[in-house]
Amino acid sequence: MRSKVNHRYILDALELSGSASVYHFVICDTIMGWLVVLTTLSFQITIFYAYLKTSSFEDKETSDWVYAKRCPPNGLECEDDDDTTTLGWISLFLVMLTYLMTDIVKGSKLIFRAGILSSLRLFVAGIILLIITVLAILSSYFYNRATALSNTEIILNSVILLFTTDIDEWVHRLLFYLHPKWLEKMMHDARCFQSNLDGTSDKKDDESNIEPQIDSLTKNPNHSFNINPDNAFLRDHSFLIDKIEMSTSSIQTMEDKLNAITDRLNKIESGAKKSEAAQRRRSTYADLVVMSS
């Protein structure tokens, strides 16, 4: 019963925590991974805090608050430069919803599954995703309330702030180029954590099970893999298996075309030889005619 529950709730823990983000280091057993997570999280929070602080009206020295009212010294009426409309704020809501809804769903699912499986790491991963998402929404709203004077400024400010939510992915990409082997080890640790909660611990058996299928695919291009959901190795590498099948099919198609081209070239070469022999016979006949005359 435990194996079925784990398979249902923790199967995609790595994907939910962000396979292309440093935040999946939370489910790894390395201090360095946690340091990377804390550093990245602190950097993102600092940026959002800076925007929230400058959108406050209380601190006039650091505030970016823009006054929308202009009152001429010689006039009795003030002019309002605020051109924002309800459409602009609806657009802001739609942009934020489209961009951040995925993280909201992932974070909520991680927290839910952490409660089901009593996993502190999944809970922390879910909280991190929700914290970044909430800070992005709040800072975008309050900063636009303080500085935006048009609908286009609302969209522009929100898009700039949304880039901050991708810093964890940028750091992950940087680590890929700086230390790919270490990053590969972290991915392996994350998969092992997922597999352990899923009740799959014998990775050697999984790796040995794929070899006969690869041999069968090599001998028979029309063969397709039968992925067992309980086989963690095949499940984690199913996308590679799909690519192998597609590549094998493409190679077979190219071989068929190459064979057809080879046959055609052989026919052309044979025809050329026959034409050359006929030309030689005509030349010899012409020489004999000349000699006899």
Side-chain angles (χ1 to χ4, degrees):
M1 183 67 180
R2 173 178 171 80
S3 178
K4 292 182 179 180
V5 172
N6 284 343
H7 180 76
R8 175 184 175 186
Y9 288 104
I10 201 62
L11 179 62
D12 51 350
L14 176 60
E15 182 63 28
L16 288 176
S17 59
S19 58
S21 167
V22 296
Y23 288 144
H24 81 264
F25 295 169
V26 172
I27 60 179
C28 300
D29 277 327
T30 59
I31 298 177
M32 184 60 66
W34 277 84
L35 288 177
V36 173
V37 170
L38 292 176
T39 303
T40 305
L41 180 62
S42 300
F43 183 47
Q44 288 179 293
I45 291 177
T46 301
I47 294 177
F48 288 128
Y49 174 75
Y51 273 93
L52 288 172
K53 185 177 181 180
T54 54
S55 63
S56 174
F57 182 74
E58 297 178 357
D59 191 354
K60 296 182 180 180
E61 294 182 358
T62 59
S63 178
D64 288 342
W65 192 281
V66 176
Y67 296 93
K69 301 288 186 180
R70 286 191 301 107
C71 300
N74 299 327
L76 299 177
E77 296 182 357
C78 295
E79 298 180 0
D80 190 357
D81 292 336
D82 187 0
D83 295 330
T84 60
T85 62
T86 304
L87 178 62
W89 292 106
I90 292 177
S91 300
L92 170 65
F93 171 76
L94 292 177
V95 170
M96 302 295 288
L97 182 65
T98 303
Y99 200 86
L100 297 177
M101 180 54 69
T102 302
D103 289 338
I104 294 175
V105 173
K106 287 183 177 181
S108 301
K109 283 190 174 183
L110 282 171
I111 293 175
F112 174 73
R113 296 175 183 186
I116 296 295
L117 300 171
S118 301
S119 175
L120 179 60
R121 298 183 192 180
L122 293 183
F123 178 77
V124 173
I127 288 295
I128 289 176
L129 287 179
L130 291 182
I131 286 176
I132 296 299
T133 302
V134 171
L135 286 176
I137 295 173
L138 292 178
S139 58
S140 181
Y141 173 75
F142 285 111
Y143 191 77
N144 277 304
R145 290 285 296 179
T147 63
L149 296 179
S150 64
N151 293 339
T152 54
E153 288 186 8
I154 291 177
I155 303 300
L156 180 62
N157 292 336
S158 63
V159 170
I160 293 174
L161 280 168
L162 286 176
F163 277 118
T164 306
T165 61
D166 292 335
I167 290 179
D168 53 302
E169 297 181 3
W170 299 346
V171 175
H172 186 275
R173 193 174 307 165
L174 177 63
L175 290 174
F176 174 78
Y177 290 107
L178 291 178
H179 207 323
K181 290 185 178 180
W182 181 79
L183 188 62
E184 183 180 357
K185 179 181 178 300
M186 298 297 290
M187 291 289 290
H188 175 73
D189 292 345
R191 291 191 182 98
C192 288
F193 170 79
Q194 174 177 311
S195 298
N196 289 335
L197 288 180
D198 191 39
T200 306
S201 58
D202 192 1
K203 303 296 289 183
K204 293 183 179 179
D205 291 343
D206 292 340
E207 293 177 1
S208 61
N209 288 338
I210 195 175
E211 293 180 359
Q213 297 197 49
I214 293 178
D215 294 339
S216 177
L217 177 62
T218 305
K219 297 176 181 178
N220 183 10
N222 297 323
H223 172 77
S224 59
F225 282 98
N226 184 16
I227 303 301
N228 185 355
D230 294 330
N231 191 320
F233 182 84
L234 293 179
R235 185 180 62 246
D236 294 341
H237 298 79
S238 60
F239 67 100
L240 291 177
I241 295 172
D242 293 339
K243 288 185 177 180
I244 291 174
E245 291 182 344
M246 294 176 62
S247 300
T248 306
S249 178
S250 299
I251 292 173
Q252 184 64 32
T253 303
M254 292 176 64
E255 287 181 354
D256 295 339
K257 291 182 178 180
L258 183 60
N259 291 333
I261 293 173
T262 303
D263 294 339
R264 189 171 181 181
L265 289 175
N266 291 334
K267 291 180 180 179
I268 294 175
E269 184 179 359
S270 177
K273 290 182 179 180
K274 292 180 179 179
S275 178
E276 183 179 357
Q279 183 66 28
R280 289 178 179 176
R281 288 195 298 269
R282 285 195 295 269
S283 177
T284 302
Y285 177 76
D287 292 341
L288 291 174
V289 171
V290 172
M291 292 175 63
S292 63
S293 61

